[in-house]
Amino acid sequence: MGKILFIDVDGTLCSPVHNVPPSSAVQAIRKARENGHRAYICTGRSRAEVYEDIWAIGLDGMIGGNGCYVEDHGNVIMHQKLSAEECRHVVDWCHERHMEFYLEANSGLYASERYREVSYEAYRKKYGREPQYGAFFERMIYHADLYRDDVNKISFRLNSWEDYLAAQKEFPSLHVGCWGGDAPNCSHGDVSPQGVNKANAIHVLLKHLNASAEDTIAFGDEAVDIPMFKLCGYAVAMGSGSRSAKDAADYITTGTDEDGLYNAFVHLGLI
């Protein structure tokens, strides 16, 4: 039996600079599937953020929203969402703390009014250049009703680490995570249903497939990928990833823009 591959998207499959999959990564996944392996993206993105350039690679399915949503060959296996009351609570709290945010639903990304503006400012301050994610911001839906009942998770820009700590206290019955760097230097916090993480979603999918964790390989680059690293039979961190991800991995490949995914597939004998 072939291996089941779980591949993070941002910073792993997609270049952290250009936000698109390098041609070598596309080639690696296609060759691996030809060799009898199965490939799923396992991402913080919701389905609305998985654009055609990713599906065109050829995938067996996806885990989205950091574990809120599981899909296998077009069939929805699991979908956990925030309730309308929980969504309203988070939205109002973000407004009260003057934090910009966006709601991640399978129907689209619904952003607060200044999310794009604040994100651009933060990117310029950090990197000293214009951001490369124009398409991401252009696909967002602005000035929509932000009180919704179809939301997988809500991501918000952290003004400081205190915002993240405050979120943990404010939402004890929900899962509060962070991304965009290692703590306490994360750029974002997020709120999703309790119990949601990549490892739980993989467990649900493996049960559906009647497969074992021993037959799985995880590929990631950030702390949010560590739960799936611990569950899967083998874990690969990108050379361009965070220190915490590298410390938790069994193997560190080269950077995403240095054919990291392709090199890892060769190293593991997948292609």
Side-chain angles (χ1 to χ4, degrees):
M1 178 186 291
K3 295 294 184 180
I4 305 173
L5 314 178
F6 293 103
I7 307 165
D8 172 55
V9 173
D10 296 293
T12 302
L13 171 61
C14 287
S15 161
V17 176
H18 306 293
N19 205 32
V20 295
S23 59
S24 63
V26 174
Q27 182 183 8
I29 294 173
R30 288 175 177 171
K31 283 186 175 181
R33 293 186 75 232
E34 289 174 4
N35 289 343
H37 307 293
R38 285 175 281 185
Y40 295 83
I41 53 172
C42 191
T43 176
R45 297 189 187 194
S46 293
R47 206 183 193 289
E49 299 173 77
V50 182
Y51 308 128
E52 183 55 38
D53 60 337
I54 294 176
W55 285 116
I57 296 170
L59 298 167
D60 291 280
M62 70 170 289
I63 289 171
N66 281 335
C68 295
Y69 178 78
V70 181
E71 179 181 316
D72 176 47
H73 292 96
N75 299 312
V76 178
I77 309 304
M78 181 183 76
H79 192 185
Q80 296 175 269
K81 295 174 285 186
L82 294 169
S83 69
E85 293 76 15
E86 289 166 340
C87 179
R88 178 184 289 269
H89 185 184
V90 178
V91 166
D92 289 346
W93 183 80
C94 286
H95 279 143
E96 289 169 4
R97 293 186 71 92
H98 305 289
M99 292 188 299
E100 301 303 317
F101 61 93
Y102 63 100
L103 315 182
E104 303 180 44
N106 286 357
S107 60
L109 305 180
Y110 303 90
S112 59
E113 290 188 4
R114 297 187 65 248
Y115 180 78
R116 174 171 51 186
E117 178 185 344
V118 170
S119 296
Y120 271 50
E121 290 173 357
Y123 191 96
R124 293 187 192 104
K125 182 178 180 180
K126 183 175 181 179
Y127 296 106
R129 63 175 187 271
E130 290 299 309
Q132 303 294 314
Y133 304 134
F136 169 74
F137 291 108
E138 291 304 321
R139 290 175 187 263
M140 283 186 166
I141 300 167
Y142 298 88
H143 307 292
D145 183 1
L146 298 177
Y147 294 151
R148 307 183 61 86
D149 62 2
D150 64 343
V151 176
N152 300 327
K153 67 186 178 83
I154 301 175
S155 289
F156 47 88
R157 291 207 66 93
L158 297 172
N159 296 320
S160 70
W161 187 240
E162 292 302 317
D163 288 330
Y164 172 75
L165 299 178
Q168 289 186 311
K169 293 180 181 179
E170 184 73 17
F171 308 109
S173 63
L174 299 175
H175 174 77
V176 180
C178 60
W179 53 275
D182 278 335
N185 298 311
C186 301
S187 64
H188 286 74
D190 61 36
V191 176
S192 55
Q194 189 62 263
V196 163
N197 60 59
K198 292 185 176 184
N200 179 65
I202 290 173
H203 176 75
V204 170
L205 179 57
L206 291 178
K207 185 176 181 180
H208 169 74
L209 297 174
N210 194 28
S212 168
E214 294 177 358
D215 298 319
T216 64
I217 305 175
F219 301 83
D221 74 309
E222 282 208 28
V224 71
D225 298 313
I226 293 175
M228 73 168 176
F229 281 8
K230 292 180 178 179
L231 174 68
C232 289
Y234 198 82
V236 177
M238 309 306 290
S240 48
S242 70
R243 183 70 265 162
S244 61
K246 293 176 184 178
D247 289 344
D250 298 299
Y251 176 72
I252 302 172
T253 185
T254 52
T256 308
D257 287 326
E258 298 168 328
D259 301 324
L261 210 58
Y262 186 94
N263 292 336
F265 278 36
V266 170
H267 174 78
L268 294 170
L270 299 171
I271 57 176

